[in-house]
Each structure stands twice: as C-alpha cells, then as structure tokens.
Amino acid sequence: MLNFNDFLENEDIITEGIHDKGIFKAFYLAGGPGSGKSWVAAKTLEGSGLKVINSDIGFENYAKRAGLNLKQMGDFTKDQTKLKDELRRRAKRGTQTMGQHAVDGRLGLIIDSTARDADKIESAAAGLRYLGYDTYMVFVNTTLEVALKRNEERPRSVPEPIVRESHRQIQNQIPRLIRMFGAKNFIEVHNNEYREDINVKVYKEIRKLANSKITSQIAKDWIENEKALIRARNPSGKVDTGFFSRFRSRYF
C-alpha cells in the first residue's frame, strides 16, 4: 500500500491513461481506392498507440464470416446484396460506437477517409479541434495507373470507372485539404511503390507529430480535470498499487 500523498506526487502513476501515446492527436488518412492507405498507416503509425477508426475492417470481417466474396459483388444475387448492405450498416454502427468511446477518452485516432467528401472531413475535424485535438492529414497519393492496378488486386475491388472518377475528384480536393489542415499538418505520401523503407523523411515527420506535446489549452484543462477526478475517487488517502487492484474496481 502507498500513502495517497506519495501517490499524488508520482506523476507516472496518476497520469496513466491520461498521457497515453497519441492522446489528443487525430490523423486523417485520405486517398482513393488502391492508394495503399492501410499499408502507409502500418509503416508510419503502427505502435503509436492511436486507435484505428475504419469501418472497412469490420465490414470485410463480417463478409468473410458470412461467406461473401466481395470481389464478386457485381454478380451478387438480390439476397446477397441485401445481406452485404446490412453487414455494411452493422460495421458502420460498430465503428461509430468505437470511435465515440475513443473520443470520450480523448485517445489518439487514425481516421480512414477517401477525401471525396471534404465537407464531412472538415466538419468532423472541426469538432475534434473544438475538443482540444490536434488534427492532421496524411494524404496517400498515387498515379491513376497504379490505383487501377492495385484496385484489381484488392479483395474488395470497385468498377474501373468509379476508380477513375474517384481519383480525379480526390486530386481536385488536395488544395482544399491543405487549407483545411494547414500546410504544416498536411503530409503527402507518394506511394507508387510498396517499399519496406518508406520515405524516411515522411516517417519521421509523422512520428514527430504523433509524439509532439499537447498545445491546446482545452486539452490541458481536460487532463487537469481528469487528474482532479482521480484524486476525488480516493478520499481514503490510501491507494492499492498491486497488480490486481486495477481489476478490482472494475469487476468486484
């Protein structure tokens, strides 16, 4: 057992969770079909402690369990299409719930997007900044030829005309996205080749942003409030720091 006053002086203990890696950081990933967003995210943000918000992951898992081959969506029967649409809705609901829990805890976020709906991104990013988040855009860019080739290789490909139109729309959105996030918070990754040694400069830049200190006063005030709540929950002045103590309050 540890005296509570000593506990309060131990910043590492009292701020566990509050100072998790990436707290109050939100990275938007943008790029069209076949741009390799997931690959770039794995190479630059894996291990950063940020929570991935991407309904595609849940949707593809649901589809696999249901025995749906998403590469054959164009040949789906009416019942298969109905099932696919329901699985997509279920995945989106689950992702929204997961995302809300993450935001409630002000956890760091990796938010998947396509950049086609810039209005939606702008509104969501503004909401996060209102809560004290620093927001960034990692824009994964490829040539149209590479995007078409990778789309064919994906488990869930889309018709070629859609890839072409999506690529055109997204390219046109780049200037707006730069204005939206600011030049310093906009990182463009040219991903025409999958390389194990992804551009070192890009990697360092993204990791530096993910690990940078919190600057928002809103965020700092939230953290101080959480510390105060931790203190208020321990009026006895004694804190059990044993291994099982972290589970006792939750399950017993």
Side-chain angles (χ1 to χ4, degrees), residues 127-166:
L128 289 174
R129 286 193 289 270
Y130 178 80
L131 294 175
Y133 273 84
D134 292 325
T135 59
Y136 309 94
M137 167 62 71
V138 179
F139 188 87
V140 184
N141 210 348
T142 61
T143 64
L144 175 59
E145 291 73 24
V146 170
L148 288 169
K149 183 175 184 297
R150 288 190 186 150
N151 178 64
E152 288 299 316
E153 297 170 351
R154 297 176 72 201
R156 184 167 55 89
S157 59
V158 299
E160 181 177 319
I162 294 179
V163 177
R164 290 182 177 275
E165 179 60 17
S166 175

Side-chain angles (χ1 to χ4, degrees), residues 171-225:
Q171 294 300 309
N172 290 339
Q173 293 286 6
I174 293 177
R176 181 180 178 184
L177 293 171
I178 294 175
R179 291 194 299 270
M180 192 185 302
F181 288 89
K184 291 183 178 179
N185 291 354
F186 182 91
I187 305 100
E188 185 172 3
V189 181
H190 293 281
N191 191 35
N192 290 314
E193 294 181 16
Y194 285 144
R195 302 184 307 170
E196 289 304 312
D197 60 335
I198 189 170
N199 190 299
V200 175
K201 181 180 179 181
V202 170
Y203 172 83
K204 288 183 177 180
E205 187 175 358
I206 292 175
R207 298 298 287 209
K208 181 180 179 180
L209 292 172
N211 295 323
S212 61
K213 291 183 179 180
I214 293 171
T215 58
S216 167
Q217 189 58 47
I218 296 173
K220 291 178 180 179
D221 290 344
W222 185 89
I223 290 172
E224 289 304 315
N225 184 63

Side-chain angles (χ1 to χ4, degrees), residues 77 88 248:
T77 64
R88 166 58 83 185
R248 189 173 294 119

